Amino acid sequence: QKEVEQNSGPLSVPEGAIASLNCTYSDRGSQSFFWYRQYSGKSPELIMSIYSNGDKEDGRFTAQLNKASQYVSLLIRDSQPSDSATYLCAGYAGNNRKLIWGLGTSLAVNP
Amino acid sequence: EAQVTQNPRYLITVTGKKLTVTCSQNMNHEYMSWYRQDPGLGLRQIYYSMNVEVTDKGDVPEGYKVSRKEKRNFPLILESPSPNQTSLYFCASSARAITSYGYTFGSGTRLTVV
């Protein structure tokens, strides 16, 4: 059973701090990973994608991938209350052509 | 504006009354998929379509039907809804099913079956 696991949280950080969200996956064949943000009752919104080992930065967001250790992380710098949401990690395994979703980590940024 | 449009946003229906949730995308995406999202269970794939006339079961297909007669449309059909199909439903599309593309989601349909 291919799995993507996330700590459900809630993760609570003060405004302006760095929020660190982590995700581990079981399928070594997974080739690419995605982070989605989902506000309560709303649809998931793609934030970052990452395909290669290392870091990928986009504004306040940095995605990190370590294929040897099978984990993916998302760092949010200068966290804002508007970042409070659930963050979903998803991994893509080419052999079954589908995304495997984690259950999400709830983030609360406190003013 | 590039988007995935789902209708209706909210629906309350009775057990056994057939319903259709529509999904349309304007991005010429090949891949489309339906998910349901339930507390504690996350996103679960119902059906997906790799292209026109090509559909396949996801992880929880029982009680659902789909069709893909046109590239832009991918309706979800509940022939005889039951209370355990009460859920939040999302349609999603992607340029391709292969590795490099993320999904664009519709706004969701909150379905209640009584």
Side-chain angles (χ1 to χ4, degrees), chain B residues 7-8 11 17-23 75-78:
Chain B
N7 281 296
L11 180 59
K17 185 177 181 181
K18 181 179 178 180
L19 66 92
T20 299
V21 184
T22 63
C23 174
L76 179 69
I77 302 160
L78 285 73

Side-chain angles (χ1 to χ4, degrees), chain A residues 17-28:
Chain A
I18 296 176
S20 178
L21 303 158
N22 300 310
C23 167
T24 59
Y25 61 94
S26 62
D27 182 10
R28 286 193 172 273

Side-chain angles (χ1 to χ4, degrees), chain A:
Chain A
Q1 178 78 1
K2 298 176 173 61
E3 292 181 341
V4 171
E5 295 191 357
Q6 300 179 252
N7 188 321
S8 62
L11 174 65
S12 183
V13 300
E15 184 174 355
I18 296 176
S20 178
L21 303 158
N22 300 310
C23 167
T24 59
Y25 61 94
S26 62
D27 182 10
R28 286 193 172 273
S30 296
Q31 301 164 357
S32 52
F33 298 87
F34 304 87
W35 283 100
Y36 287 79
R37 177 177 62 200
Q38 185 176 26
Y39 294 112
S40 180
K42 304 295 186 183
S43 59
E45 172 192 12
L46 181 64
I47 298 175
M48 295 281 289
S49 58
I50 186 165
Y51 317 115
S52 305
N53 276 328
D55 296 359
K56 179 182 178 182
E57 187 174 319
D58 183 1
R60 296 187 296 112
F61 299 98
T62 298
Q64 300 174 318
L65 174 59
N66 184 322
K67 290 188 177 182
S69 300
Q70 294 179 243
Y71 81 77
V72 194
S73 62
L74 179 70
L75 301 178
I76 307 175
R77 289 181 299 281
D78 188 24
S79 295
Q80 301 297 309
S82 59
D83 295 325
S84 299
T86 296
Y87 289 80
L88 303 172
C89 173
Y92 184 88
N95 59 348
N96 60 6
R97 296 186 294 182
K98 64 184 293 185
L99 279 182
I100 308 297
W101 294 86
L103 296 183
T105 297
S106 174
L107 172 66
V109 180
N110 304 307

Side-chain angles (χ1 to χ4, degrees), chain B residues 28-88:
Chain B
N28 201 37
H29 282 176
E30 288 187 355
Y31 182 88
M32 298 185 75
S33 181
W34 276 103
Y35 287 90
R36 62 178 289 175
Q37 188 175 38
D38 303 287
L41 297 177
L43 283 167
R44 294 182 292 167
Q45 190 178 49
I46 302 170
Y47 270 93
Y48 64 95
S49 171
M50 302 291 282
N51 213 323
V52 176
E53 301 291 2
V54 181
T55 63
D56 209 347
K57 296 177 181 179
D59 299 316
V60 288
E62 294 77 20
Y64 304 95
K65 288 176 58 177
V66 294
S67 67
R68 186 95 181 270
K69 295 183 170 57
E70 306 166 283
K71 199 169 189 178
R72 64 184 295 126
N73 296 323
F74 190 45
L76 179 69
I77 302 160
L78 285 73
E79 293 270 2
S80 183
S82 63
N84 65 12
Q85 293 178 297
T86 293
S87 186
L88 180 57

